């Protein structure tokens, strides 16, 4: 939708009509965010049909509120990233491909970091004997991450909106405030960066 404005000449017409580039950028971000919120809450409403079978949520109202707020904020962070891409790439096809690759790249980064943190501290080898499969004595796992590196990976997962989404999906919300602040930071930083480059962009 956003990149189509370039090919159809709408972007140029908005500038001629007196709209500032900053307002155009922010309006597109707002529209994308509201559309994402609408679709997400339609999905949440659809999930209500499971209440007669599975019952209501087991967490309290405040925890539910925090999770919904985390969800809204990491959606905003995603929208900020994708608006940045779409507003700076005039070709709709290229923009769509870059956006999809960016999403899967962020998802892959988060998955790889979570896999590193999920490594157990101790492991046992399997030994095939005449009596069947036996396990050796536990030994330290060389792939286990500890210390500062573990803290950095844990923080990086909460920083990425894809990491928050992955943890959100398995209900692993250990630092809700950190998640919300991370999403707010990414949203503001990427939007400011996008507006700066959009101001400099030659719209032809």
């Amino acid at each position: 939708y956003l990149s189509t404005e370039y090919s159809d000449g709408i972007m140029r017409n908005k500038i001629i009509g007196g709209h500032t580039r900053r307002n155009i950028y922010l309006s597109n971000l707002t529209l994308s965010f509201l559309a994402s919120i609408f679709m997400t809450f339609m999905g949440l409403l659809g999930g209500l049909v499971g209440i007669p079978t599975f019952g209501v949520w087991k967490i309290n109202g405040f925890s539910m509120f925090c999770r919904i707020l985390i969800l809204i904020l990491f959606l905003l962070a995603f929208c900020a990233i994708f608006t940045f891409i779409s507003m700076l790439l005039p070709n709709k096809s290229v923009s769509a491909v870059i956006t999809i690759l960016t999403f899967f790249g962020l998802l892959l980064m988060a998955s790889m970091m979570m896999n590193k943190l999920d490594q157990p501290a101790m492991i046992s080898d399997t030994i095939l004997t005449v009596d069947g499969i036996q396990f050796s004595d536990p030994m330290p796992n060389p792939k286990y991450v500890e210390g500062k590196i573990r803290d950095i990976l844990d923080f990086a997962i909460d920083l990425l909106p894809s990491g928050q989404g992955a943890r959100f999906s398995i209900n692993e919300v250990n630092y809700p405030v950190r998640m919300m602040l991370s999403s707010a930071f990414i949203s503001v930083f990427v939007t400011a960066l996008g507006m700066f480059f959009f101001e400099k962009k030659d719209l032809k």
Side-chain angles (χ1 to χ4, degrees):
Y1 166 77
L2 298 183
S3 296
T4 305
E5 292 191 328
Y6 284 105
S7 58
D8 293 348
I10 299 173
M11 191 76 71
R12 184 175 60 252
N13 292 339
K14 286 182 177 181
I15 299 294
I16 295 173
H19 297 284
T20 64
R21 296 191 181 208
R22 177 168 297 187
N23 287 343
I24 293 171
Y25 191 99
L26 290 176
S27 67
N28 285 335
L29 173 61
T30 303
L31 180 62
S32 301
F33 179 55
L34 291 178
S36 299
I37 291 294
F38 175 77
M39 289 185 286
T40 299
F41 276 93
M42 286 298 99
L44 291 176
L45 288 176
L48 295 178
V49 299
I51 290 180
T53 303
F54 302 105
V56 297
W57 294 275
K58 304 301 181 184
I59 60 177
N60 58 51
F62 179 74
S63 297
M64 177 64 72
F65 173 77
C66 285
R67 280 162 171 75
I68 291 175
L69 193 56
I70 291 169
L71 172 63
I72 291 172
L73 286 172
F74 82 64
L75 277 176
L76 177 59
F78 268 129
C79 288
I81 294 170
F82 299 146
T83 300
F84 174 88
I85 295 170
S86 299
M87 292 297 289
L88 297 181
L89 295 176
N91 188 295
K92 184 172 67 172
S93 300
V94 173
S95 174
V97 171
I98 296 299
T99 299
I100 293 171
L101 290 177
T102 300
F103 173 78
F104 282 110
L106 291 172
L107 189 61
L108 182 61
M109 286 174 59
S111 298
M112 291 174 63
M113 289 187 288
M114 290 182 71
N115 287 337
K116 282 185 174 293
L117 292 185
D118 288 341
Q119 291 288 333
M122 305 295 289
I123 56 173
S124 298
D125 288 333
T126 56
I127 303 172
L128 186 60
T129 66
V130 293
D131 297 324
I133 298 176
Q134 296 182 357
F135 296 94
S136 66
D137 293 332
M139 63 186 73
N141 183 2
K143 295 183 180 180
Y144 179 73
V145 179
E146 57 185 341
K148 288 292 184 182
I149 298 178
R150 189 173 189 86
D151 294 336
I152 292 172
L153 287 176
D154 190 53
F155 176 79
I157 293 170
D158 282 348
L159 179 64
L160 294 175
S162 56
Q164 292 186 29
R167 282 187 161 170
F168 195 85
S169 67
I170 59 175
N171 201 26
E172 190 178 299
V173 183
N174 298 323
Y175 304 100
V177 175
R178 184 168 76 180
M179 286 180 166
M180 289 185 273
L181 290 177
S182 297
S183 293
F185 168 76
I186 288 178
S187 301
V188 172
F189 176 76
V190 174
T191 299
L193 195 65
M195 287 193 295
F196 173 78
F197 285 117
F198 187 61
E199 289 279 354
K200 307 293 184 182
K201 186 173 177 59
D202 182 12
L203 299 179
K204 300 179 180 179

